[in-house]
Amino acid sequence: MIYNDILKKIKNGKKLFALLVDPDNHSEKSLLKVVNNANDSHVDLILIGGSLLNNHIDHSATLIKNNTKIPLLLFPGSPLQITPNADGILLLSLISGRNPDLLIGNHVIASAYIKRSGLEVLPTGYVLVEGGKSTSVEYMSNTRPIPAEKTDIAIATAMAGEMLGLKLIYLEAGSGAKNHITFDLISGVKKNINIPLIVGGGIKTENDIEQTVKAGADIVVIGTAIEQNPKILKKLVQITHSL
Ligand code: 1GP
């Protein structure tokens, strides 16, 4: 079970690195390179997802699965990105927003399909925080992010998500965000919840990772920075594991 494994690792003081792969940004050949890089770098989790569907998610997920033992989790931008060809799904409820489809509507549409798929379901409170520029997730979800300095609202949102029974909280500044989530906001949320905390969006450097993890992130997600410079992956994973 992926979730139990995550809990166990966190309990043992380990910080996890999740690589985000948007299949729309890859050919079959480059996707294979990404997977090999993830294997060599000892990435803990691979997340697959994006905003659009220019490539076939089923095919991309199968290609990843066939070439790695790293758990593959769907990170779906829409129900159309759900495929049985992964190990699990971050079943996102966009609790920072007030769009009913992303809070429960899409989940109702997809529930029977997900059950049949055999995917491990990881119910995740998805909390969008302003990251210094407007992002795809903000536009596509038709929701407003929590202002970056409103730590109290982010904390209350994460606490509400935990009280509703969600199993993970994902603080998201949006892919390619100018600013990653601040130390204060991450540490405030971390102090007030007892479920694993995922943080992503705009994390680019060793220093960003250090700040994010020291503030309280259990799992760091990086996509854009690795797409731009795949060579830094190994070092970023090492840093994460050393903290
Ligand atoms: C986006 O949190 C992830 O959903 C990763 O963001 O692409 O900015 O690393 P980046």
Side-chain angles (χ1 to χ4, degrees):
M1 294 285 281
I2 301 167
Y3 184 70
N4 285 343
D5 234 47
I6 292 173
L7 287 183
K8 205 155 99 195
K9 285 181 176 152
I10 292 173
K11 207 170 152 210
N12 291 335
K14 195 171 172 206
K15 305 297 173 188
L16 309 188
F17 188 103
L19 177 67
L20 173 63
V21 178
D22 183 345
D24 281 356
N25 295 342
H26 293 286
S27 64
E28 210 167 280
K29 201 170 148 202
S30 72
L31 193 56
L32 209 52
K33 269 194 190 163
V34 171
V35 180
N36 289 335
N37 193 13
N39 289 335
D40 291 346
S41 305
H42 305 289
V43 160
D44 298 288
L45 298 163
I46 299 177
L47 308 187
I48 180 172
S51 299
L52 304 174
L53 276 169
N54 293 329
N55 278 339
H56 291 292
I57 190 105
D58 298 278
H59 185 66
S60 306
T62 303
L63 194 139
I64 296 173
K65 279 267 328 148
N66 288 345
N67 288 284
T68 188
K69 291 198 171 75
I70 302 168
L72 177 64
L73 292 176
L74 302 178
F75 177 53
S78 88
L80 292 171
Q81 289 182 3
I82 303 174
T83 166
N85 307 344
D87 299 304
I89 176 169
L90 291 183
L91 189 63
L92 305 172
S93 186
L94 183 49
I95 56 176
S96 58
R98 300 296 177 264
N99 178 341
D101 286 337
L102 302 183
L103 285 163
I104 183 65
N106 286 345
H107 314 68
V108 173
I109 292 168
S111 61
Y113 182 80
I114 293 173
K115 194 159 193 172
R116 276 199 308 279
S117 72
L119 292 164
E120 180 179 339
V121 176
L122 289 82
T124 303
Y126 196 40
V127 180
L128 187 56
V129 178
E130 199 193 339
K133 70 174 199 186
S134 91
T135 56
S136 300
V137 56
E138 179 186 342
Y139 179 78
M140 298 300 281
S141 67
N142 204 9
T143 68
R144 291 171 62 191
I146 297 174
E149 70 287 358
K150 300 284 184 194
T151 303
D152 53 347
I153 297 179
I155 293 172
T157 304
M159 282 169 57
E162 181 178 23
M163 287 173 189
L164 282 167
L166 298 170
K167 295 285 173 51
L168 297 140
I169 294 294
Y170 189 145
L171 292 176
E172 169 73 277
S175 194
K178 190 166 152 226
N179 311 319
H180 62 82
I181 300 192
T182 62
F183 187 94
D184 281 354
L185 195 140
I186 298 170
S187 66
V189 168
K190 179 65 185 173
K191 281 183 202 131
N192 285 283
I193 60 170
N194 288 305
I195 48 178
L197 181 59
I198 309 175
V199 181
I203 300 171
K204 303 175 197 82
T205 64
E206 295 173 26
N207 191 40
D208 292 346
I209 291 193
E210 208 170 313
Q211 280 183 28
T212 301
V213 167
K214 286 193 172 154
D218 298 302
I219 304 174
V220 179
V221 183
I222 302 190
T224 307
I226 308 301
E227 264 172 26
Q228 288 170 351
N229 185 5
K231 286 192 193 123
I232 61 172
L233 181 61
K234 195 174 244 172
K235 185 78 196 161
L236 294 186
V237 178
Q238 271 172 7
I239 297 278
T240 309
H241 289 163
S242 73
L243 292 166

